[in-house]
Amino acid sequence: MIELVHLEKKYENSTPLKDVSTIINDGDVISVIGPSGTGKSTLLRCINMLERPTGGQILLDGVDITAPGYDVTQARRRMGMVFQSFNLFGHLTVIENLMAAPVDILGRTKQEAYETGVELLKRVGLEGREFRYPDQLSGGQKQRVAIARTLAMDPEIILLDEPTSALDPAMVGEVQSVIRDLAGSGKTMMIVTHEMSFARAICNRVFFMDQGGIYEDGTPDQIFDSPERELTRRFVRKLRVLELFIENAKYDYISADKEIDIYCLKNNIPARTKYRIRLTMEEIVQQLLLPQGDILPVRILVEYSGEEEKTTVTISYSGAGFDPADGENKLAYDTLKKTVADISYKYDSEAELPNSVTVLI
Amino acid sequence: MPRKKAFILIIAAVITAVLFCACTKAAEQISSLSQLREKGTVIAVSTNTPESKQIIKDFPDAVIESYTDIYPAYQEVASGKITAVISQRTGMQKAIENGVSGVRLLEENYRENVIAVGLSRKSDIPDLKRKINKFLQELRDDGTLDDMYERWVMQKDYTMPDIPEAEAPKQTLTVATTGTAEPFTFYVGNELSGYDIELAKRFAAWLGARLEFKVYDWGGLLSATQAGDADCIMSNLYYEPEYEETTDFSDPLFTLEITAMVRDKGYGAKTDPFWQSLRSSFRRTFITEKRWRLFVSGIGTTLLITGMSILLGTLLGFAVFTACRKGNRTANAVTRFSVWLVQGMPAVVLLMLLYYVVFGSVKIPGVAVAIIGFTLICGASVYERMKAGVSAVDIGQTEAAYSLGYTERQAFYKVVLPQAMPFIIPPFKGDITALLKGTSVVGYIAVQDLTKMADIVRSRTYEAFFPLIAVAVIYLILEVLFNFIVDRLEPAFYPKRRDPDDILKGVQQK
């Protein structure tokens, strides 16, 4: 069991981990997901003490491994680490990579280490490659050797830091199947990954990381199907969001238009969709809402999901209940209605901006 | 192939042209010193001799060239590159008798130099000046001094008389000499001989002291007595009032005639066929007086200094790197400063500082100082090479080792260092070659290495060409030898070049 207590990692210019507290139970298979730069790798490297935390504690079965006098090699022997860049020992053959640590650290005989090594190579599908040097292997093979090297130490916990990110797409599958096999073996595992469907398939728990810590922690079904928090939802749906505010009637239409342009360009949004987003702006905001008066401020939220290629524009505004469908300019409303998939209106007196029109493009 | 031929032809043409120009340079026969006063004359003199100072006043229009060892200038007078050499009549006479041709000496003398024994003020022998003057007086009174001059200088009888050594000596007389001033101090085979050597032997016997010679360049003699490394200088030393500021002098031994050597216009071009002259050069450089033994002993010294320095320097560099590896701030600062100090100054300056200043008051052989000096130089470069090599290994290797449970030490020796070696060895090979060549400056601190031995031989054969070529060839061979040794050792440092059969030695393979 690993217990993180107010863990903090601060660098000179950034603080990837502000305050992380959680418990990792034996047998947990945890996927760590989240946008880049949110401390996913840092969390893993702290647990393995490759990065020394600047605050808080890490308790491994109740023992604080961050304590000053503690011999971290003891903790590291119980944890295996698989790196994004493999880090196989370049001067040793495949079999020696597997034998080195058991012989040097666990005091196994060469014979024992060799036999375990051959066994593990078979397990990761690399029998017969014993005498290759790492630079004679493909990326996928290297990563499989690296996993076998970790297993040779028989660790209780395996930490995988983006194990497939440096691989050709064609090789991702072979490594994933080895990891999948491993996930079923009952060992505690933590894997940092960007492969959502893979993460979902192998784990029983997901850490979504953002804002300097574990932003949401739950089962894969919770996190991927019904996330509770906004940033998680945006992330798992792969939502790209643009938010615009209009605070007075003479707002800068040109620059708002430009922002939409940049947003579409950045997120590879098709030209047709871009045209429809603009049309929504033009018809609802310019033609229907602004002439109405007394509706400021207006908030425009554009959400584009790359996964589903779905775009919604939500326009919220204040004032008394007003459905644009009842507006004077029928022509504008009908033009838009014909172009987009759906327009719906909702009035919620509790909300800050009670009116909201949702346009599904 | 045609390009290579053309290249050789061009080189040959250039050499011929240079020789032709040198030989056809117009020159009229010079028969008096006054003719040297003309503009455009080039006069060669020995550095730090009384005549070298007087000449500047007497021949203001001449170009004066100063030579540490004057003998290479003789050939240049013969070829016309230099108008005259102004030096000792006896020495130049001897050179002509020994085969320097195309030159002659003027009848008139330019001046006379007083020759005396230089005395250290830091000598361990008490009352040295009074003793040597008493000794010289005795020698003068019984005619031995005149007899010595007659035999060595006039008769050229180079037989060293049998002088019994002191029995059960209680002190040591250390004599500084150059070994390059025939007939006063010179080498026969690898033994010192000459007027000054006989004098030294007699004086040691008279004192009841053990005799030890130290061989220096002309420039090093005075520094040696000044530092107390030698008790006295017996090397055809001129008495000079300005030297008296730092060094004492005995009563005069004799006076020397100084005259000019000029080109003999009547002498035709050398008629010796090329191969014959090459053979005679070879004989004079290596065979006569068994001079090859000088080369052998020089090679031994050079190899000793180079080999020991590489060995100790590598250990030193490694030890220092290990000490600094964990980033101790004080250790790093001290190391950075030392490396900067050692690498920042010329090797010869470092050696002289060690010899005359650091170990100035300690009796320590020059070879040991040379080994210490080059060990520092080698150590500094090994340290730098290791630093560069280790930093070239990806940090991921260390992290992977840590994550498997290796300690910092194990990770360094088992994972990082083996992978750093391929970055360290190739530049290290270059360093070895540089070190071997670099040792050629040890002559400055009285060590007789290969280069110094070639100097000694050149001073006897009056030939620059052959001994220099021989030395160059020997250095090249030694370089090949060192590289060969390193090449043999190399596979041990390249894990990937191991014999595949050795990789799993002792394991029963499936």
Side-chain angles (χ1 to χ4, degrees), chain B residues 178-195:
Chain B
T178 56
T180 55
E182 198 178 336
F184 302 99
T185 166
F186 59 99
Y187 275 89
V188 175
N190 53 2
E191 286 278 318
L192 278 167
S193 184
Y195 176 96

Side-chain angles (χ1 to χ4, degrees), chain A residues 1-3 22-30 61 156-157 186-190 204-205 207 217:
Chain A
M1 191 178 74
I2 303 170
E3 208 178 335
T22 191
I23 291 175
I24 298 158
N25 297 307
D26 290 344
D28 268 355
V29 177
I30 300 170
D61 290 337
E156 297 159 34
I157 302 145
K187 282 189 193 296
T188 309
M189 273 171 68
M190 271 180 96
N204 62 3
R205 200 172 158 192
F207 287 173
D217 172 2

Side-chain angles (χ1 to χ4, degrees), chain B residues 98-280:
Chain B
N98 266 345
V100 174
S101 50
V103 296
R104 69 185 209 194
L105 302 182
L106 297 186
E107 294 296 321
E108 60 181 314
N109 280 344
Y110 174 56
R111 59 168 280 158
E112 289 190 338
N113 288 347
V114 174
I115 302 298
V117 178
L119 303 168
S120 170
R121 287 178 188 158
K122 288 190 183 164
S123 170
D124 294 336
I125 300 167
D127 235 0
L128 185 63
K129 187 170 180 174
R130 193 185 54 77
K131 282 179 186 162
I132 196 153
N133 282 338
K134 184 161 179 259
F135 161 72
L136 290 178
Q137 193 55 51
E138 284 175 21
L139 247 53
R140 205 172 285 120
D141 289 346
D142 68 10
T144 314
L145 218 49
D146 283 341
D147 171 54
M148 278 167 66
Y149 192 81
E150 181 65 23
R151 276 188 290 115
W152 291 105
V153 185
M154 308 309 285
Q155 305 285 335
K156 319 289 184 205
D157 170 12
Y158 287 175
T159 330
M160 178 64 77
D162 206 20
I163 298 154
E165 284 175 33
E167 277 173 27
K170 287 194 191 82
Q171 53 189 353
T172 302
L173 175 71
T174 310
V175 175
T177 190
T178 56
T180 55
E182 198 178 336
F184 302 99
T185 166
F186 59 99
Y187 275 89
V188 175
N190 53 2
E191 286 278 318
L192 278 167
S193 184
Y195 176 96
D196 283 315
I197 308 305
E198 183 181 335
L199 187 69
K201 287 185 175 179
R202 284 184 189 280
F203 185 45
W206 186 85
L207 274 177
R210 205 170 63 78
L211 179 61
E212 189 191 327
F213 285 108
K214 281 193 178 173
V215 179
Y216 294 89
D217 272 344
W218 284 106
L221 288 173
L222 287 166
S223 337
T225 44
Q226 225 171 297
D229 284 340
D231 296 312
C232 62
I233 303 170
M234 293 191 184
S235 190
N236 196 25
L237 185 72
Y238 312 107
Y239 165 75
E240 274 267 52
E242 69 171 277
Y243 291 163
E244 275 195 309
E245 283 172 28
T246 55
T247 310
D248 289 337
F249 281 91
S250 72
D251 295 339
L253 294 169
F254 54 85
T255 54
L256 277 180
E257 295 173 20
I258 303 299
T259 187
M261 174 192 273
V262 294
R263 195 174 179 210
D264 187 358
K265 216 189 152 201
Y267 187 81
K270 261 194 179 171
T271 49
D272 274 4
F274 178 71
W275 284 112
Q276 200 178 321
S277 76
L278 202 66
R279 250 169 50 202
S280 99

Side-chain angles (χ1 to χ4, degrees), chain A residues 45 48 76 79 81 83 87-91 96 99-101 104-105 110-111 114 131 133 135 149 153, chain B residues 396-397 399-406 410 414-415 418-419 495-496 498 503-505 507-510:
Chain A
R45 292 166 62 85
N48 202 11
R76 286 181 183 145
M79 300 188 230
M81 180 104 174
F83 298 87
N87 295 345
L88 291 178
F89 300 142
H91 62 303
E96 287 172 296
M99 291 165 62
D104 291 340
I105 290 161
K110 274 182 134 186
Q111 186 68 39
Y114 169 77
F131 295 103
Y133 280 96
D135 55 13
R149 177 176 69 175
M153 289 295 284
Chain B
Q397 295 290 320
E399 290 187 346
Y402 285 171
S403 75
L404 286 168
Y406 281 85
Q410 285 174 315
K414 298 214 176 226
V415 175
Q419 297 190 71
K496 282 190 179 176
R498 286 173 301 172
I503 291 176
L504 283 186
K505 232 178 186 172
V507 171
Q508 185 100 46
Q509 286 182 47
K510 281 178 189 165

Side-chain angles (χ1 to χ4, degrees), chain B residues 281-453:
Chain B
S281 285
F282 182 85
R283 195 166 42 243
R284 272 187 293 163
T285 303
F286 290 114
I287 312 295
T288 313
E289 294 175 1
K290 292 191 177 160
R291 286 183 187 137
W292 56 270
R293 287 190 301 190
L294 287 175
F295 283 97
V296 169
S297 114
I299 292 170
T301 308
T302 294
L303 281 181
L304 176 73
I305 295 171
T306 312
M308 289 299 285
S309 304
I310 292 170
L311 201 71
L312 297 175
T314 306
L315 290 176
L316 176 74
F318 189 81
V320 170
F321 180 81
T322 316
C324 293
R325 185 164 55 88
K326 285 181 191 158
N328 180 305
R329 220 177 255 188
T330 325
N332 271 305
V334 170
T335 305
R336 253 203 319 278
F337 178 73
S338 315
V339 168
W340 172 77
L341 206 65
V342 169
Q343 292 192 332
M345 69 175 97
V348 63
V349 176
L350 177 70
L351 286 184
M352 294 209 287
L353 278 176
L354 286 175
Y355 191 66
Y356 293 115
V357 182
V358 179
F359 297 111
S361 53
V362 190
K363 296 245 176 214
I364 180 169
V367 175
V369 174
I371 290 174
I372 292 170
F374 283 102
T375 294
L376 290 176
I377 291 168
C378 181
S381 75
V382 166
Y383 169 78
E384 295 272 288
R385 300 297 180 203
M386 286 195 65
K387 223 167 87 171
V390 166
S391 69
V393 177
D394 186 58
I395 182 74
Q397 295 290 320
T398 312
E399 290 187 346
Y402 285 171
S403 75
L404 286 168
Y406 281 85
T407 61
E408 196 273 344
R409 213 183 139 77
Q410 285 174 315
F412 178 73
Y413 286 104
K414 298 214 176 226
V415 175
V416 177
L417 193 59
Q419 297 190 71
M421 289 319 281
F423 298 105
I424 296 172
I425 297 294
F428 181 61
K429 262 164 126 176
D431 291 344
I432 288 180
T433 307
L435 191 78
L436 173 66
K437 291 187 290 185
T439 59
S440 61
V441 299
V442 295
Y444 275 90
I445 56 164
V447 176
Q448 289 167 301
D449 72 321
L450 184 51
T451 306
K452 182 72 193 175
M453 287 305 189

Side-chain angles (χ1 to χ4, degrees), chain A residues 210-229:
Chain A
D210 206 332
Q211 297 187 344
I214 301 172
Y215 182 83
E216 194 167 347
D217 172 2
T219 64
D221 288 348
Q222 274 170 2
I223 299 287
F224 289 108
D225 293 341
S226 47
E228 281 173 11
R229 303 186 66 182

